[in-house]
Amino acid sequence: MATKTGATKKNERVFYRRNGCRVCGSKDLAKYFDFGDMPFANSFLKSEHDEEIRAPLQVMYCNNCSNSQLSVVVNPKYLFSSYLYHSSVSETFNVHCSGLAEYAISLFGRRNLKCLDIGSNDGTLLKQFKRRDCEVIGLDPAANICEQANRDGIRTVCAFWGKDGASQIVEKSGKQDIVTATNVFAHVDDAHGFVSSVLDVLSDEGVFIVEVPYAREMVRKKEFDTIYHEHLSYFLVNPLDRLFSMHGMRICNISEFDIHGGSLRISVIKGSNSSIKINKEIVDHYTSLERKEGLNTIKPYMKMAVEVEQLKKKFLAKLKELKSKGMRIAGYGASAKGNVFLNYCGLDRDDIEFIVDDTKQKQGLLYPGTRIPVVLSSWIMEKKPDYILILAWNFTQEIMKKTEDFSKRGGKYIIAIPELKII
Ligand code: DWN
Ligand code: ZN
């Protein structure tokens, strides 16, 4: 298995070590997770002989502002330039986007708003704004996905977000009433530059709505598999509040959603914006809750790391038991998180025979690291595994509904996070 840490054929550095906190700049960082050198979770392989780049996967806690971040930053072009994750595959996420569009529009009491989605992927969210009479524009760095979004009638600029991306948006579509960033803000190294570019495109009465995985949920539900090289930051409200206020912005509303294992939706406005009401109670609720639960110390994170080790031991013991009885196991949902989970457990295709995924672009490829084949769902009825390990546990209901025939013939599901369950 050809794997290299941090170097490519051209011996170009693939990652750099970040020594200061991304939010406050402090160097007082302490490690609480170390997975070793891991492959990139969404970098699927075409063949056994493909070379695989690995990079350290470690999480650091900032003792000054309580933000968590990876110890290294992988060059985004190795992660996002051709991207296999398509938001539209999940009906659950489509429904979530409809709710987000309704909420955002409700802040203005009028329609025909201008909406920009940063990291717009295949336009799943923008389609929800467009059907509500908004003028939409997207921006995404993945050329393959931009082409698909533009083919689907969602005007999308192919670029990474920053000063240049922002000026392209203003040039093409002017200032924006609504700027959204779902599952992208935690992926960027220069968070301050990101916010400063949002200010370049946001109208004075506009709102910036950012959705990020909530680190409180990650700790509470031991969601260690959401830690991978794309996710550079693991946010709490306190460090986000500090970050936005450094740019003269105010959090005006916060809500939580189960999507992707527990996400925060944070609405932010310019300090001078008096047309959108600030819900001070909700901001105070979250900032004090995080302090009350000790999330402004490293203790809960160290405790989670111990619990995750125990979770892994328990899962591997169950797997050994099932295999000793001749049971055959497949996976469902070739997700980034599933990849972390299987590599962290040190598994390969002798343990998990194949992984089903409905994303056409993933089928026929090999899962990074474990090199388990990713296949279409017909394999379940053809190969008849005894168990399905649901790797995309955040979509358990949707996946179980899709595989009813499997459970009808006696097949069982394994869900490993937050607790090992066989149903
Ligand atoms: O931040 C990110 C999150 C939001 O999405 C990105 N960095 C990458 C990605 O992470 P992920 O791959 O862990 O996300 P999902 O959405 O949990 O992945 C689900 C996988 O399961 C996808 O490959 C699609 C697949 N799936 C399927 O095959 N059939 C999902 C559903 C619901 C299905 O019915
Ligand atoms: Zn900090």
Side-chain angles (χ1 to χ4, degrees), residues 78-331:
Y78 290 100
L79 300 176
F80 303 110
S81 299
S82 174
Y83 204 47
L84 290 175
Y85 179 78
H86 288 60
S87 310
S88 55
V89 170
S90 142
E91 184 47 36
T92 311
F93 188 64
N94 275 287
V95 170
H96 176 78
C97 289
S98 172
L100 170 49
E102 277 302 327
Y103 160 72
I105 292 167
S106 73
L107 296 173
F108 292 84
R110 64 180 172 88
R111 292 195 174 236
N112 73 338
L113 296 154
K114 283 190 174 184
C115 306
L116 160 66
D117 188 26
I118 301 171
S120 49
N121 196 277
D122 54 12
T124 299
L125 173 59
L126 288 174
K127 284 171 189 161
Q128 295 293 341
F129 280 109
K130 189 171 181 180
R131 63 196 291 198
R132 292 170 171 85
D133 310 324
C134 292
E135 181 189 319
V136 303
I137 188 165
L139 175 136
D140 197 285
N144 60 321
I145 288 187
C146 286
E147 274 157 41
Q148 182 187 329
N150 281 302
R151 272 200 308 275
D152 292 349
I154 300 295
R155 190 170 48 149
T156 304
V157 171
C158 185
F160 281 100
W161 182 245
K163 288 293 177 203
D164 175 49
S167 52
Q168 286 191 58
I169 296 298
V170 173
E171 195 185 306
K172 292 178 188 301
S173 169
K175 295 279 188 163
Q176 303 295 308
D177 301 303
I178 298 170
V179 176
T180 49
T182 65
N183 301 303
V184 63
F185 194 53
H187 300 49
V188 293
D189 187 21
D190 181 7
H192 286 283
F194 189 104
V195 174
S196 149
S197 297
V198 167
L199 285 168
D200 290 348
V201 300
L202 189 66
S203 69
D204 289 344
E205 310 302 300
V207 65
F208 171 45
I209 300 173
V210 58
E211 289 193 353
V212 290
Y214 190 15
R216 176 173 175 262
E217 289 300 282
M218 176 182 78
V219 172
R220 206 166 63 81
K221 295 191 276 189
K222 300 189 280 294
E223 295 170 348
F224 70 91
D225 56 349
T226 58
I227 297 169
Y228 42 90
H229 296 105
E230 293 177 24
H231 289 170
L232 293 175
S233 299
Y234 299 81
F235 285 121
L236 295 168
V237 172
N238 271 298
L240 282 170
D241 194 26
R242 176 195 284 248
L243 192 153
F244 292 126
S245 56
M246 289 161 80
H247 294 267
M249 298 183 88
R250 303 280 308 276
I251 295 178
C252 62
N253 199 11
I254 301 172
S255 33
E256 270 189 87
F257 295 87
D258 286 343
I259 195 86
H260 294 304
S263 298
L264 275 177
R265 174 182 296 162
I266 307 235
S267 305
V268 199
I269 56 175
K270 292 181 178 178
S272 56
N273 183 343
S274 54
S275 57
I276 294 180
K277 184 178 169 307
I278 291 180
N279 184 338
K280 196 176 171 315
E281 295 73 23
I282 198 86
V283 179
D284 294 347
H285 164 73
Y286 277 97
T287 48
S288 52
L289 178 69
E290 290 169 1
R291 282 192 288 273
K292 200 163 94 249
E293 293 182 350
L295 290 164
N296 55 342
T297 71
I298 196 170
K299 277 198 222 98
Y301 307 91
M302 298 297 272
K303 178 170 171 287
M304 172 194 165
V306 170
E307 288 167 347
V308 164
E309 200 48 41
Q310 287 158 357
L311 182 152
K312 168 178 157 181
K313 284 200 182 89
K314 203 170 162 196
F315 171 77
L316 290 176
K318 173 56 77 180
L319 190 70
K320 193 165 169 230
E321 178 204 319
L322 294 177
K323 284 179 63 183
S324 66
K325 292 176 186 162
M327 295 293 118
R328 295 171 48 234
I329 304 163

Side-chain angles (χ1 to χ4, degrees), residues 21-26 29 62-67 242:
C21 170
R22 169 168 300 111
V23 172
C24 73
S26 167
L29 304 175
C62 174
N63 284 308
N64 185 51
C65 78
S66 74
N67 194 49
R242 176 195 284 248

Side-chain angles (χ1 to χ4, degrees), residues 366 373-374 396:
L366 298 175
V374 180
T396 295

Side-chain angles (χ1 to χ4, degrees), residues 321-331 351-354 379-389 403 405-414 422-423:
E321 178 204 319
L322 294 177
K323 284 179 63 183
S324 66
K325 292 176 186 162
M327 295 293 118
R328 295 171 48 234
I329 304 163
D351 307 299
I352 312 290
E353 280 183 30
F354 57 85
W379 276 53
I380 293 174
M381 293 322 279
E382 283 160 26
K383 305 288 182 188
K384 298 199 180 347
D386 304 293
Y387 288 84
I388 289 181
L389 170 61
T403 54
D405 296 352
F406 163 78
S407 58
K408 277 193 189 120
R409 70 168 172 76
K412 295 257 183 281
Y413 300 97
I414 306 170
I422 293 191
I423 39 183

